[in-house]
Amino acid sequence: MVSVVHARLFQAMIASLAIIATGIGIFAVGVARAPSAAAAPDAKLADMSGFQAGNIIDDGLFWDSNALSEAGIQAFLNAKVPTCAAGFTCLKNYRETTHTIAGTPMCAQYDGAANESAATIIFKVAQTCGISPKVLLVVLQKEQGLVTHSSPGVTRFRAAMGAGCPDTAACDANYYGFFNQVHYGAYLLKRYTQPAGTGPGTAYTTRFDLRYPVGRTSAIATDTSPDCPTKSVFIENQATHALYIYTPYTPDAAALATSYGTGGSCSSYGNRNFYSYYTDWFGSVRGAPVGVYFRDYYAANTSWLGYPTSPMSCAGPDRGCIQKFQGGMIAGSYSTVAAGVRADYAQYWGWYGREYGEMGYPTSEYACVGDQCRQEFQGGTITSSTAAGIAVELRSRPSWLGASTQAKSCTLKGGACYQAFQNGWVLQSPSGSFAVPTAVLATWGNYGREYEFLGFPTGATSTVPGPTGSYTQTFQGGTITVTNGAGAVTAASEPFINASLTSPWLGAATQAKSCTLKGGACYQAFQNGWVVQSPSGTYALPTVVRTIWGWYGREYNVLGFPTGSPSADPASGTYTQAFQGGTVSVVNGTATVSLP
């Protein structure tokens, strides 16, 4: 069914003084009334100088479901009719028990509820159908004058949106009632845009996109009479396309000249009144236009791009431009043609710096074979599938990493990022972006990853990693060495860690680090000795040295703190170790002290 407006003179009439006066009776749908000369709301004429027949309102405003909150809608209705006429329920006070309507390609499921206010109904329909609540308010006004009427009767609520009310027949009783009207009116406006899931082969076979199509010039009548002329109108966007199917007439010069009043014998007022009310109530109908460089691409891809949500920006590298839309982005540069990036891919593209990062600009369109989809960029590829989800493959990444197994995540310390691959990770931090093989990752994890002394990687692997390879990789706090595929920390900038790393004879730690020695110096106990940290340095002490040091009063007496490491591997049984006040000599496992 094509749902259109009431008769043209009725539309002019509801814009008149009749809709703001109190105590005036109900006008039946389709009955013509002569408008008053003092018809303009708020006693002024709307400025029609900005009216464009081919772009009545920008898509970004028309489909903005968050344009008003539920409280904002209620406040707007309260302001339009501060006091209802005695014995009448005006829109601000109207309530109705709604019913649940299952979801469709046009609208998500509406969950019915008891005693919902008009503001609640308008807000919920706007959210579920993806249309601006401002647009719904304007249509309610231009169809039945409900927003500003202080004494509306049942007939106005019954046909509130004019949905299912053709010019040549009575309204469809299946859509009687305020809630039914608001939902069905929003449903129709979305249906006319031919959303995904409609058209041949679906339950919604009619091709509304072929009537007054976007990007084409159409002959549109100025009035219902076949004797009246048509006007050639180039339809620029989906919102205007939908409005012309909903109300298939365009105002002539006489209608535009009178703002809210009546024009000539071939004048119609529905789309004129939409513009008049919207601009008087909410300001400009102009949001973000489609960028001049992207108009051809947009015209061919409107169905998935939706409306623009930001102006075109041309500040990118390679003289590039980009514009954001409801369903994604369009991007192009001097070296690449305009191409669209769908919203889910655009998120991942953004994680890699978009056109400013390693990915660069898109170089192909999104394409799928079965559920395997991909899009090429200057520096890599974004792929997706049902099983694997979305993944990014950068051509600058070393081949040994293999394919990505997880999307990029920026949940590391300080917001640093990583992405998992078959044979390692790519880590991005303030220290740089580096590929880290699985063997290094395992060792890094054993030492607390970025939260402990190692921090983030500061360089690439010294050679190409392999399953049984040998190589090193530097980190902020040390070096991880992989030998025959097994990783270990071999050097650390943290003295305690480095002392234990260079003294493997110590064995495992048996006690946490404690800083209770003289002057706040620290120690930690291990299976075969201590690590002592003082102003003289950080050194490992074998058990036999620590024992004799204790006999001489440790740091409180003549020996003081150690000033060097054992001169040989303690396992040899013979070595020396220097202290501030002397030397401990070990011969065949027996220690003696030499004092100066």
Coordinates of all heavy atoms in Angstrom, one line a residue, residues 103-149:
G103 N 9.7 -7.5 15.1 CA 10.6 -6.8 14.3 C 10.5 -7.2 12.8 O 10.0 -8.3 12.4
T104 N 10.9 -6.2 12.0 CA 10.9 -6.4 10.5 C 12.2 -5.7 10.0 O 12.9 -5.1 10.8 CB 9.7 -5.7 9.9 OG1 9.8 -4.3 10.1 CG2 8.4 -6.2 10.5
P105 N 12.5 -5.8 8.7 CA 13.6 -5.1 8.2 C 13.5 -3.6 8.3 O 14.5 -2.9 8.3 CB 13.6 -5.5 6.7 CG 12.9 -6.8 6.6 CD 11.9 -6.7 7.7
M106 N 12.3 -3.1 8.6 CA 12.1 -1.7 8.8 C 12.3 -1.2 10.2 O 12.9 -0.2 10.5 CB 10.7 -1.3 8.3 CG 10.5 -1.1 6.8 SD 11.0 -2.5 5.8 CE 9.6 -3.6 6.2
C107 N 11.7 -2.0 11.2 CA 11.7 -1.6 12.6 C 12.1 -2.8 13.5 O 11.6 -3.9 13.2 CB 10.4 -1.1 13.0 SG 9.8 0.4 12.0
A108 N 12.9 -2.6 14.5 CA 13.1 -3.6 15.5 C 11.8 -3.8 16.3 O 10.8 -3.1 16.2 CB 14.2 -3.2 16.4
Q109 N 11.8 -4.9 17.1 CA 10.6 -5.2 17.8 C 10.2 -4.0 18.8 O 11.0 -3.5 19.5 CB 10.7 -6.5 18.6 CG 9.5 -6.8 19.5 CD 9.6 -8.2 20.1 OE1 9.7 -9.2 19.3 NE2 9.5 -8.3 21.4
Y110 N 8.9 -3.7 18.8 CA 8.4 -2.7 19.7 C 7.7 -3.5 20.9 O 6.8 -4.3 20.6 CB 7.3 -1.8 19.1 CG 6.9 -0.7 20.0 CD1 7.3 0.6 19.8 CD2 6.0 -0.9 21.0 CE1 6.9 1.6 20.6 CE2 5.5 0.1 21.9 CZ 6.0 1.4 21.7 OH 5.6 2.4 22.5
D111 N 8.2 -3.3 22.1 CA 7.6 -4.0 23.2 C 6.5 -3.2 23.8 O 6.7 -2.1 24.4 CB 8.7 -4.3 24.3 CG 9.8 -5.2 23.8 OD1 9.5 -6.2 23.1 OD2 11.0 -5.0 24.1
G112 N 5.3 -3.7 23.7 CA 4.1 -3.0 24.2 C 4.2 -2.9 25.7 O 4.8 -3.7 26.5
A113 N 3.4 -1.9 26.3 CA 3.4 -1.7 27.7 C 2.1 -1.0 28.0 O 1.4 -0.3 27.2 CB 4.6 -0.9 28.2
A114 N 1.7 -1.0 29.3 CA 0.4 -0.4 29.7 C 0.6 1.1 29.9 O 1.7 1.5 30.4 CB 0.0 -1.1 31.0
N115 N -0.4 1.8 29.5 CA -0.5 3.3 29.9 C 0.7 4.1 29.5 O 1.3 4.9 30.2 CB -0.7 3.4 31.4 CG -1.3 4.7 31.8 OD1 -2.1 5.3 31.1 ND2 -0.9 5.3 32.9
E116 N 1.2 3.9 28.2 CA 2.3 4.7 27.7 C 1.9 6.1 27.3 O 0.8 6.2 26.6 CB 3.0 3.9 26.6 CG 3.7 2.7 27.0 CD 4.6 2.1 25.9 OE1 4.2 2.0 24.8 OE2 5.8 1.9 26.3
S117 N 2.7 7.1 27.6 CA 2.4 8.4 27.1 C 2.7 8.6 25.7 O 3.4 7.8 25.1 CB 3.2 9.4 27.9 OG 4.6 9.3 27.6
A118 N 2.1 9.6 25.1 CA 2.4 9.9 23.7 C 3.9 10.1 23.5 O 4.5 9.7 22.5 CB 1.7 11.2 23.2
A119 N 4.6 10.8 24.4 CA 6.0 11.0 24.3 C 6.8 9.7 24.4 O 7.8 9.5 23.6 CB 6.5 11.9 25.5
T120 N 6.4 8.8 25.2 CA 7.0 7.5 25.3 C 6.8 6.7 23.9 O 7.8 6.1 23.4 CB 6.4 6.6 26.4 OG1 6.7 7.3 27.6 CG2 7.1 5.3 26.5
I121 N 5.6 6.8 23.4 CA 5.4 6.1 22.1 C 6.2 6.7 21.0 O 6.8 5.9 20.3 CB 3.9 6.2 21.8 CG1 3.0 5.3 22.8 CG2 3.6 5.7 20.4 CD1 1.5 5.5 22.7
I122 N 6.3 8.0 20.9 CA 7.1 8.6 19.9 C 8.5 8.3 20.0 O 9.2 7.9 19.1 CB 6.8 10.2 19.9 CG1 5.4 10.5 19.5 CG2 7.9 10.9 19.0 CD1 5.0 12.0 19.8
F123 N 9.0 8.3 21.3 CA 10.4 8.0 21.5 C 10.7 6.5 21.1 O 11.7 6.2 20.5 CB 10.8 8.3 23.0 CG 12.2 7.9 23.3 CD1 13.3 8.7 22.9 CD2 12.5 6.7 24.0 CE1 14.6 8.4 23.2 CE2 13.8 6.4 24.3 CZ 14.8 7.2 23.9
K124 N 9.9 5.6 21.6 CA 10.2 4.2 21.3 C 10.1 3.9 19.8 O 10.9 3.1 19.3 CB 9.2 3.3 22.2 CG 9.6 3.3 23.6 CD 8.5 2.5 24.5 CE 8.5 1.1 24.1 NZ 7.5 0.3 25.0
V125 N 9.1 4.4 19.2 CA 9.0 4.2 17.7 C 10.2 4.8 17.0 O 10.8 4.2 16.1 CB 7.7 4.8 17.2 CG1 7.8 4.9 15.6 CG2 6.5 4.0 17.6
A126 N 10.7 6.0 17.4 CA 11.9 6.6 16.8 C 13.1 5.6 17.0 O 13.9 5.4 16.1 CB 12.2 7.9 17.5
Q127 N 13.2 5.0 18.2 CA 14.4 4.2 18.4 C 14.3 2.9 17.6 O 15.2 2.4 17.1 CB 14.4 3.9 19.9 CG 14.8 5.1 20.8 CD 16.2 5.6 20.5 OE1 17.1 4.9 20.6 NE2 16.3 6.9 20.2
T128 N 13.1 2.3 17.6 CA 13.0 0.9 17.0 C 13.0 1.0 15.5 O 13.4 0.1 14.8 CB 11.7 0.2 17.5 OG1 10.5 1.1 17.2 CG2 11.7 -0.1 18.9
C129 N 12.5 2.2 14.9 CA 12.4 2.3 13.5 C 13.5 3.2 12.9 O 13.6 3.3 11.7 CB 11.1 2.9 13.1 SG 9.7 1.8 13.5
G130 N 14.4 3.8 13.8 CA 15.5 4.5 13.3 C 15.1 5.8 12.5 O 15.6 6.1 11.4
I131 N 14.2 6.6 13.1 CA 13.8 7.8 12.5 C 13.8 8.9 13.6 O 13.6 8.6 14.8 CB 12.4 7.6 11.9 CG1 12.0 8.8 11.0 CG2 11.3 7.4 12.9 CD1 10.8 8.6 10.1
S132 N 14.0 10.1 13.2 CA 14.0 11.2 14.1 C 12.7 11.4 14.8 O 11.6 11.5 14.1 CB 14.5 12.5 13.4 OG 14.3 13.6 14.3
P133 N 12.6 11.6 16.1 CA 11.4 11.9 16.8 C 10.9 13.3 16.4 O 9.7 13.6 16.4 CB 11.8 11.9 18.3 CG 13.2 11.9 18.4 CD 13.7 11.3 17.1
K134 N 11.8 14.2 16.0 CA 11.4 15.5 15.5 C 10.6 15.3 14.2 O 9.6 16.0 14.0 CB 12.7 16.4 15.2 CG 13.4 16.8 16.4 CD 14.7 17.6 16.1 CE 15.4 18.0 17.3 NZ 16.7 18.8 16.9
V135 N 11.0 14.4 13.3 CA 10.3 14.1 12.1 C 8.9 13.6 12.5 O 7.9 14.0 11.9 CB 11.0 13.1 11.2 CG1 10.1 12.6 10.1 CG2 12.3 13.8 10.7
L136 N 8.8 12.7 13.4 CA 7.5 12.2 13.8 C 6.6 13.3 14.3 O 5.4 13.3 14.0 CB 7.6 11.1 14.9 CG 8.4 9.8 14.4 CD1 8.5 8.8 15.5 CD2 7.8 9.2 13.2
L137 N 7.1 14.2 15.1 CA 6.3 15.3 15.6 C 5.8 16.2 14.5 O 4.6 16.6 14.5 CB 7.1 16.1 16.6 CG 7.4 15.5 18.0 CD1 8.5 16.2 18.7 CD2 6.2 15.5 18.8
V138 N 6.7 16.5 13.5 CA 6.3 17.3 12.4 C 5.2 16.6 11.6 O 4.2 17.3 11.1 CB 7.5 17.7 11.6 CG1 7.1 18.3 10.2 CG2 8.4 18.6 12.3
V139 N 5.3 15.3 11.3 CA 4.3 14.6 10.6 C 3.0 14.6 11.3 O 1.9 14.8 10.7 CB 4.8 13.2 10.2 CG1 3.6 12.4 9.5 CG2 6.0 13.2 9.3
L140 N 3.0 14.4 12.6 CA 1.8 14.5 13.4 C 1.1 15.8 13.3 O -0.1 15.9 13.3 CB 2.1 14.2 14.9 CG 2.4 12.7 15.3 CD1 3.0 12.7 16.6 CD2 1.2 11.9 15.2
Q141 N 1.9 16.9 13.2 CA 1.4 18.2 13.1 C 0.8 18.5 11.7 O -0.3 19.0 11.5 CB 2.4 19.2 13.4 CG 2.0 20.7 13.3 CD 1.0 21.1 14.3 OE1 0.7 20.3 15.3 NE2 0.3 22.2 14.2
K142 N 1.6 18.1 10.6 CA 1.1 18.4 9.3 C -0.1 17.6 8.9 O -0.9 18.0 8.0 CB 2.3 18.3 8.3 CG 2.5 16.9 7.7 CD 3.6 16.9 6.7 CE 3.9 15.5 6.1 NZ 2.8 15.1 5.2
E143 N -0.2 16.4 9.5 CA -1.3 15.6 9.1 C -2.6 15.9 9.9 O -3.7 15.9 9.3 CB -1.0 14.1 9.4 CG 0.1 13.6 8.4 CD -0.4 13.5 7.0 OE1 -1.6 13.3 6.8 OE2 0.5 13.6 6.1
Q144 N -2.5 16.1 11.2 CA -3.7 16.3 12.0 C -3.6 17.5 13.0 O -4.5 17.7 13.8 CB -4.1 15.0 12.8 CG -4.5 13.9 12.0 CD -5.9 14.1 11.4 OE1 -6.7 15.0 11.8 NE2 -6.3 13.3 10.4
G145 N -2.5 18.2 12.9 CA -2.4 19.3 13.8 C -2.4 18.9 15.3 O -2.6 19.8 16.2
L146 N -2.0 17.7 15.6 CA -2.1 17.2 17.0 C -1.1 17.9 18.0 O -1.5 18.0 19.1 CB -1.8 15.7 17.0 CG -3.0 14.8 16.8 CD1 -2.6 13.3 16.8 CD2 -4.0 15.0 18.0
V147 N 0.0 18.3 17.5 CA 1.0 18.8 18.4 C 0.5 20.1 19.1 O 0.8 20.4 20.3 CB 2.4 19.0 17.7 CG1 3.4 19.7 18.6 CG2 2.9 17.7 17.2
T148 N -0.1 21.0 18.3 CA -0.5 22.3 18.8 C -2.0 22.4 19.1 O -2.5 23.5 19.5 CB -0.1 23.4 17.8 OG1 -0.8 23.2 16.6 CG2 1.4 23.4 17.6
H149 N -2.8 21.3 19.0 CA -4.2 21.4 19.2 C -4.5 21.2 20.7 O -4.1 20.3 21.3 CB -4.9 20.3 18.4 CG -6.3 20.7 17.9 ND1 -7.3 21.0 18.8 CD2 -6.8 20.8 16.7 CE1 -8.4 21.3 18.2 NE2 -8.1 21.2 16.9

